[in-house]
Amino acid sequence: MPPLDNRLAVYTGTFDPIHLGHLDIIRRGSRTFDRLVVGVGTNPDKAPFFSPDERVALAEAVVRDFPNVSVRGFDGLAVRFVRELGAGVMLRGLRTTSDMETEFAMSLMNLALDPDIETVFMMAREEYSHVSSSLLRQVATFGGDLGQFLPPPARKALLERVRQRQGERA
Ligand code: ADP
């Protein structure tokens, strides 16, 4: 098997939608590694607000300013996707101690699945440590203003999606 590139990292997640906490990890990851790929995956346990194509398009719209960052969608196992790209590092963000428990289990599983791929964690910045896509979707559904947590394209898309879903239910 060809050697993996440890200067290439893949930041995997659902990004439903991408928010400023994610973007902060992307900014810091882009400074730490030569190249960073944002891997937009599907989580079978989550019913997403946005389709895979929409989540990729939103991520692409907000990483435009980072020349060494690109966005790719993927299905299935994250470690398989990381290997297909030839990357040696999977990048993840950590917000809370509860994140730590699930991320710890996931990183050990990934290490068992592919021992050549290392998971690297970055701690969330304090102002985003309580921000999650699911909380933002919930707050948006009840009409809360999310300008301080979402980049403009994601804010616009989330407001439109909430309106659309509420219209469908009415
Ligand atoms: P997943 O569905 O895999 O949990 P998410 O899209 O929720 O993916 O998040 C992708 C990655 O970004 C995960 O490693 C998650 O811990 C991290 N992350 C999520 N929110 C934040 C935040 N506010 N600050 C830093 N990292 C975050």
Side-chain angles (χ1 to χ4, degrees):
M1 267 192 283
L4 298 176
D5 181 355
N6 288 328
R7 301 301 312 152
L8 169 62
V10 186
Y11 180 36
T12 56
T14 313
F15 304 105
D16 186 37
I18 193 159
H19 55 63
L20 293 183
H22 293 135
L23 201 56
D24 182 55
I25 299 291
I26 291 169
R27 182 177 300 112
R28 289 156 60 194
S30 76
R31 291 197 297 240
T32 308
F33 299 96
D34 291 345
R35 279 188 304 137
L36 180 70
V37 175
V38 179
V40 179
T42 40
N43 183 336
D45 294 335
K46 292 183 181 176
F49 249 45
F50 294 99
S51 70
D53 286 349
E54 288 170 327
R55 285 180 278 127
V56 166
L58 281 177
E60 278 173 342
V62 304
V63 305
R64 278 213 183 105
D65 294 341
F66 304 102
N68 62 341
V69 178
S70 57
V71 180
R72 294 273 303 271
F74 72 97
D75 282 318
L77 276 181
V79 275
R80 201 172 293 149
F81 172 66
V82 175
R83 178 168 281 280
E84 275 165 18
L85 293 177
V89 177
M90 189 185 299
L91 178 64
R92 300 283 292 174
L94 279 180
R95 286 162 294 194
T96 56
T97 46
S98 59
D99 258 4
M100 222 170 283
E101 265 178 51
T102 46
E103 292 287 342
F104 182 59
M106 206 191 299
S107 68
L108 286 182
M109 177 56 78
N110 285 336
L111 203 56
L113 292 170
D114 194 330
D116 296 332
I117 296 174
E118 280 299 337
T119 304
V120 169
F121 295 103
M122 285 187 181
M123 295 304 299
R125 202 174 276 277
E126 205 176 3
E127 66 257 45
Y128 301 129
S129 62
H130 59 297
V131 176
S132 66
S133 296
S134 61
L135 187 57
L136 296 180
R137 293 194 303 269
Q138 217 175 324
V139 174
T141 302
F142 294 113
D145 182 18
L146 298 170
Q148 56 184 315
F149 305 120
L150 284 167
R155 177 172 177 265
K156 184 167 174 274
L158 185 56
L159 291 176
E160 274 170 18
R161 183 52 43 91
V162 164
R163 243 178 263 131
Q164 184 189 343
R165 288 165 71 107
Q166 285 171 345
E168 279 165 11
R169 256 185 257 126

